[in-house]
Amino acid sequence: MLLIDRLEEPPDIRLVLPGSKSITNRALVTAALASGESVLSGALFADDTFAMVDCLRKFGVGITIDPDSSTMIIKGSGGTLIAPDETLWVNQSGTTARFCVPLAALVGSDVVIDGDQQIKSRPHRELFDAMTSLGVKIEYLQAPYQFPVRVNGDQLSGGEITLGGETSSQFLSAMLLSAPLFKEELHIVTEGNLVSTPYVDMTLAVMKAFGVRVTEHSGQQYSTPIGGYVATEYQVEPDASAASYFFAAAAVSGGKIGVEGLGSFSIQGDVHFLDILEKMGAKVIRSDDSLTVCGPDELSGVDVSMSLISDTVPTLAAIAPFATGPVTIRDVAFISNKESDRISALITELSNLGIQAKKVDTGLIVYPGTPQGGIVNSYDDHRIAMSFSIMGLFTSGVIVHPHQCVEKTFPEFYEVLDQIRMRGDGNLSLLAIDGPAGSGKSTLAKYLAKQLELEYLDTGAMYRSVAAVTIKSGTDLGDKNAVAEIAERILIEFDGDKIFVDGENMTKIIRGTDVNAAVSEVSANPGVRAVMRRRQRAWARARGGGVLEGRDIGSVVFPNARLKVYVTATPEERAKRRSLESGRTIEDITKEILGRDAKDSTRIDSPLVADSEAIIIDTTGKTIEETSDFIQKLFR
Ligand code: DC
């Protein structure tokens, strides 16, 4: 559950967004089937792509991933996939589930595919029927046309199939991606009105980049040549659906948001979400390598067909109340089968926030209004969670629940949301004090908070609390996900000098030797840092500012702080101060704080550094009054 902070100032920012989920999962398949080693740059690292990587590894494909450089290196199988010795788990990923069915058929022996409940309740029938018509045996292990299934493609060769495309274009993409490895050519005839055709074009574009040209006849029939893919170095574009949230935020706020690396030649249909914002009055600047939205004074209503860009329906619906006229969205009946029944979800949640919205035959209509705050059910659907978070930028008290589902495609979503709030953070009455262990920053920060009549936040105590609970629960410090989950779950409350974690007084425990030894590892965990940063920002925004003390407050948490101070002291002085506080020997303490400094300054995420705008103060030999008088003057 997450309370969304309002946006206080129209943003003016250029964003670097994570890679496209749809392109990453397609390129993973083509690279896995190619001969030779492929490198995907700018790839997405999120639950849906991890699901695909996991399944491909079970098919015997060697994949090395490096989240820090957003790179994936794939040792192509040349089409010779091995039979996994365990069930393929597709989690909640629709593309992984669908793409893996024909891939499993390539193996030529039994492959079992299963996934999360959400994937079981989505439709896949046309895909299974198409596979069956090619001689592939599909055994439904629980319910007809649902996962889990046992696939056996022993008899698969190729030929002609008819495929319904009214439910999802992913069936067609799934068949196309594996078809070059079939024994014979595959001819696909589509029936009915094919939905989301830009995703089919994306599939064809990725296949072409890996050396396979599909012949397309009037957008209804496709012939795939046999022969397989060629490994390549492939640059994945930033995700256009993810960008839609920020373009929408720019449009409503009257600010300006640009996205790098996403340009007019994008292979993602969802960039056409910009056409709708343009129709509503936003100014859109398109170049080869960036797209920018400038919000107008007023957004007008629209009546649009969104069948080709249906993933952005929740985005538009969530900003629709801020338009001056009704927003009508048509031709998207099929989105009732996505991660949630999106049309019903949107109408219900908009109505709960006091906005009039109703179903029309193939979509929905949303009327202008001022939303009230309240709890928004995300139905565990990432797009519902992200869309209502954008609404929360312009509405006080929007709480998204559950909010963690953004991990599916955009783990950094809330971090990027904070980036667009940064301009407004410049208006806070905020003093950032950073520095190494024992530099005297806590005493100084508390003293200054009193003098400046601001509240004080000891962010180190927050990391210490996570470390304490991790130790207490017996969780392995190295289990990054488990420790990050603890950070997300626990409630940390301050009462004067006391610290309560989930209601328990932990003031003493968090200063103990066990926590001292563990806290650097905990605070180097990017998942923990993301949660803590979010909480620290929310804390200060709710108070209009404060004195925040830590390691990365001026450099990362509040780069627009009114004043940033970096406090140091000689190691001897720092150890002496700690020794006086704790009664331990100076040698012992020097070793500990130097060890902690080394770890804090060399970690990848937010290392301890003096920000370039920070005033550096060496407190060795200075009284607290002297130092604080100096800082106070600067701050005021
Ligand atoms: O300030 P302290 O010694 O109580 O901090 C405990 C640990 O938490 C320290 O090793 C560094 C880490 N920390 C951090 O990484 N970022 C912050 N903003 C505050 C503390």
Side-chain angles (χ1 to χ4, degrees), residues 437 441 458-461 463-464 511 519-520 523 529 549-553 578 596 600 603:
K441 60 187 186 323
D458 174 359
T459 63
Y463 291 98
R464 287 174 177 275
R511 308 278 165 204
V519 68
S520 283
S523 61
R529 297 206 74 81
E549 168 246 313
R551 301 291 191 283
D552 60 342
I553 308 301
R578 285 268 151 126
R596 212 131 56 81
D600 293 343
R603 66 180 174 225

Short mmCIF file of all heavy atoms in Angstrom, two decimals, residues 437 441 458-461 463-464 511 519-520 523 529 549-553 578 596 600 603, ligand 1:
data_model
loop_
_atom_site.label_atom_id
_atom_site.label_comp_id
_atom_site.label_asym_id
_atom_site.label_seq_id
_atom_site.Cartn_x
_atom_site.Cartn_y
_atom_site.Cartn_z
N ALA A 437 30.62 7.78 9.25
CA ALA A 437 30.30 7.40 10.64
C ALA A 437 31.14 8.20 11.62
O ALA A 437 32.35 8.38 11.40
CB ALA A 437 30.57 5.90 10.82
N LYS A 441 27.66 14.22 12.72
CA LYS A 441 26.51 14.76 12.00
C LYS A 441 25.19 14.59 12.75
O LYS A 441 24.31 15.44 12.64
CB LYS A 441 26.43 14.20 10.57
CG LYS A 441 26.29 12.71 10.49
CD LYS A 441 26.38 12.25 9.06
CE LYS A 441 26.11 10.78 8.90
NZ LYS A 441 26.59 9.88 9.93
N ASP A 458 16.74 10.76 11.28
CA ASP A 458 17.99 10.00 11.30
C ASP A 458 17.82 8.84 10.31
O ASP A 458 17.26 7.80 10.66
CB ASP A 458 18.20 9.50 12.74
CG ASP A 458 19.39 8.56 12.87
OD1 ASP A 458 20.05 8.28 11.86
OD2 ASP A 458 19.64 8.10 14.02
N THR A 459 18.29 9.03 9.08
CA THR A 459 18.04 7.99 8.06
C THR A 459 18.89 6.75 8.31
O THR A 459 18.52 5.65 7.92
CB THR A 459 18.31 8.52 6.64
OG1 THR A 459 19.68 8.87 6.51
CG2 THR A 459 17.43 9.71 6.31
N GLY A 460 20.03 6.92 9.00
CA GLY A 460 20.86 5.76 9.35
C GLY A 460 20.07 4.80 10.23
O GLY A 460 20.17 3.58 10.10
N ALA A 461 19.23 5.38 11.11
CA ALA A 461 18.43 4.53 12.00
C ALA A 461 17.44 3.68 11.20
O ALA A 461 17.07 2.58 11.61
CB ALA A 461 17.68 5.41 13.00
N TYR A 463 18.05 2.38 8.13
CA TYR A 463 18.81 1.23 7.63
C TYR A 463 19.14 0.27 8.77
O TYR A 463 19.12 -0.95 8.61
CB TYR A 463 20.09 1.70 6.92
CG TYR A 463 19.78 2.41 5.62
CD1 TYR A 463 19.73 3.80 5.55
CD2 TYR A 463 19.47 1.69 4.47
CE1 TYR A 463 19.41 4.45 4.38
CE2 TYR A 463 19.14 2.33 3.28
CZ TYR A 463 19.12 3.71 3.24
OH TYR A 463 18.77 4.35 2.07
N ARG A 464 19.44 0.84 9.94
CA ARG A 464 19.74 0.00 11.10
C ARG A 464 18.51 -0.84 11.48
O ARG A 464 18.64 -2.00 11.86
CB ARG A 464 20.16 0.88 12.28
CG ARG A 464 21.55 1.46 12.12
CD ARG A 464 21.88 2.45 13.23
NE ARG A 464 23.24 2.94 13.09
CZ ARG A 464 24.32 2.32 13.56
NH1 ARG A 464 24.18 1.20 14.25
NH2 ARG A 464 25.53 2.81 13.37
N ARG A 511 21.63 -0.06 17.82
CA ARG A 511 23.00 0.46 18.02
C ARG A 511 23.95 -0.65 18.47
O ARG A 511 25.11 -0.38 18.78
CB ARG A 511 23.01 1.58 19.07
CG ARG A 511 22.03 2.70 18.83
CD ARG A 511 22.54 3.72 17.84
NE ARG A 511 21.42 4.55 17.38
CZ ARG A 511 21.38 5.21 16.24
NH1 ARG A 511 22.40 5.16 15.41
NH2 ARG A 511 20.33 5.92 15.91
N VAL A 519 24.93 -3.61 9.05
CA VAL A 519 24.18 -2.52 8.41
C VAL A 519 24.77 -2.07 7.07
O VAL A 519 24.02 -1.67 6.16
CB VAL A 519 23.98 -1.32 9.39
CG1 VAL A 519 25.28 -0.62 9.71
CG2 VAL A 519 22.95 -0.35 8.86
N SER A 520 26.08 -2.19 6.88
CA SER A 520 26.63 -1.74 5.60
C SER A 520 26.15 -2.63 4.46
O SER A 520 25.86 -2.15 3.37
CB SER A 520 28.16 -1.74 5.63
OG SER A 520 28.59 -0.61 6.34
N SER A 523 22.54 -1.72 3.82
CA SER A 523 22.35 -0.42 3.16
C SER A 523 22.96 -0.40 1.76
O SER A 523 22.73 0.56 1.01
CB SER A 523 22.89 0.72 4.03
OG SER A 523 24.27 0.56 4.23
N ARG A 529 17.46 0.34 -0.44
CA ARG A 529 17.67 1.78 -0.63
C ARG A 529 16.47 2.41 -1.33
O ARG A 529 16.05 3.51 -0.98
CB ARG A 529 18.95 2.06 -1.44
CG ARG A 529 20.22 1.59 -0.77
CD ARG A 529 21.43 2.40 -1.23
NE ARG A 529 21.45 3.72 -0.66
CZ ARG A 529 21.88 4.01 0.57
NH1 ARG A 529 22.36 3.08 1.34
NH2 ARG A 529 21.85 5.26 1.01
N GLU A 549 19.53 13.56 7.95
CA GLU A 549 20.95 13.26 8.12
C GLU A 549 21.22 11.84 7.65
O GLU A 549 20.41 10.94 7.89
CB GLU A 549 21.26 13.43 9.61
CG GLU A 549 22.56 12.92 10.08
CD GLU A 549 22.40 11.75 11.03
OE1 GLU A 549 21.56 11.82 11.96
OE2 GLU A 549 23.11 10.75 10.81
N GLY A 550 22.32 11.65 6.88
CA GLY A 550 22.63 10.30 6.38
C GLY A 550 23.88 10.27 5.54
O GLY A 550 24.90 10.89 5.89
N ARG A 551 23.82 9.53 4.42
CA ARG A 551 24.99 9.40 3.55
C ARG A 551 24.73 9.93 2.14
O ARG A 551 25.65 10.29 1.43
CB ARG A 551 25.38 7.92 3.41
CG ARG A 551 25.71 7.19 4.70
CD ARG A 551 27.00 7.70 5.29
NE ARG A 551 27.47 6.84 6.38
CZ ARG A 551 26.97 6.84 7.61
NH1 ARG A 551 25.98 7.65 7.91
NH2 ARG A 551 27.46 6.03 8.54
N ASP A 552 23.45 9.90 1.74
CA ASP A 552 23.12 10.21 0.35
C ASP A 552 21.99 11.24 0.25
O ASP A 552 21.31 11.34 -0.77
CB ASP A 552 22.67 8.93 -0.37
CG ASP A 552 21.44 8.30 0.28
OD1 ASP A 552 21.15 8.63 1.45
OD2 ASP A 552 20.76 7.49 -0.37
N ILE A 553 21.75 11.97 1.33
CA ILE A 553 20.59 12.87 1.33
C ILE A 553 20.77 13.99 0.30
O ILE A 553 19.87 14.23 -0.52
CB ILE A 553 20.34 13.48 2.75
CG1 ILE A 553 20.29 12.38 3.80
CG2 ILE A 553 19.06 14.32 2.77
CD1 ILE A 553 19.24 11.33 3.58
N ARG A 578 33.08 8.34 19.23
CA ARG A 578 32.32 7.09 19.39
C ARG A 578 32.74 6.34 20.66
O ARG A 578 31.94 5.71 21.31
CB ARG A 578 32.53 6.18 18.18
CG ARG A 578 31.78 6.64 16.95
CD ARG A 578 30.41 5.99 16.88
NE ARG A 578 29.47 6.85 16.20
CZ ARG A 578 28.73 6.49 15.14
NH1 ARG A 578 28.83 5.28 14.67
NH2 ARG A 578 27.89 7.31 14.60
N ARG A 596 33.46 0.45 7.75
CA ARG A 596 32.12 0.85 7.31
C ARG A 596 32.22 1.95 6.23
O ARG A 596 31.52 1.92 5.22
CB ARG A 596 31.31 1.33 8.51
CG ARG A 596 29.85 1.05 8.40
CD ARG A 596 29.23 0.39 9.63
NE ARG A 596 29.41 1.13 10.85
CZ ARG A 596 28.67 2.17 11.23
NH1 ARG A 596 27.72 2.62 10.44
NH2 ARG A 596 28.86 2.76 12.39
N ASP A 600 30.63 1.80 2.61
CA ASP A 600 29.63 2.80 2.23
C ASP A 600 30.07 3.61 1.00
O ASP A 600 29.25 4.06 0.22
CB ASP A 600 29.34 3.76 3.40
CG ASP A 600 28.66 3.06 4.57
OD1 ASP A 600 28.13 1.95 4.37
OD2 ASP A 600 28.67 3.62 5.69
N ARG A 603 30.04 1.11 -2.52
CA ARG A 603 28.86 0.40 -3.04
C ARG A 603 28.40 1.08 -4.33
O ARG A 603 28.66 2.28 -4.55
CB ARG A 603 27.74 0.38 -1.99
CG ARG A 603 27.19 1.75 -1.69
CD ARG A 603 26.09 1.72 -0.65
NE ARG A 603 25.71 3.08 -0.32
CZ ARG A 603 25.50 3.52 0.92
NH1 ARG A 603 25.62 2.71 1.94
NH2 ARG A 603 25.14 4.77 1.12
O1 DC B 1 24.60 7.01 10.35
P1 DC B 1 24.66 5.57 10.85
O2 DC B 1 26.01 5.11 11.28
O3 DC B 1 23.59 5.28 11.86
O4 DC B 1 24.28 4.72 9.55
C1 DC B 1 24.19 3.34 9.59
C2 DC B 1 24.54 2.76 8.25
O5 DC B 1 23.54 3.07 7.31
C3 DC B 1 25.85 3.22 7.64
O6 DC B 1 26.73 2.13 7.51
C4 DC B 1 25.53 3.75 6.31
C5 DC B 1 24.08 3.52 6.10
N1 DC B 1 23.36 4.71 5.66
C6 DC B 1 23.22 4.89 4.32
O7 DC B 1 23.72 4.10 3.55
N2 DC B 1 22.51 5.94 3.86
C7 DC B 1 21.97 6.84 4.70
N3 DC B 1 21.27 7.86 4.20
C8 DC B 1 22.14 6.67 6.08
C9 DC B 1 22.86 5.61 6.53
#
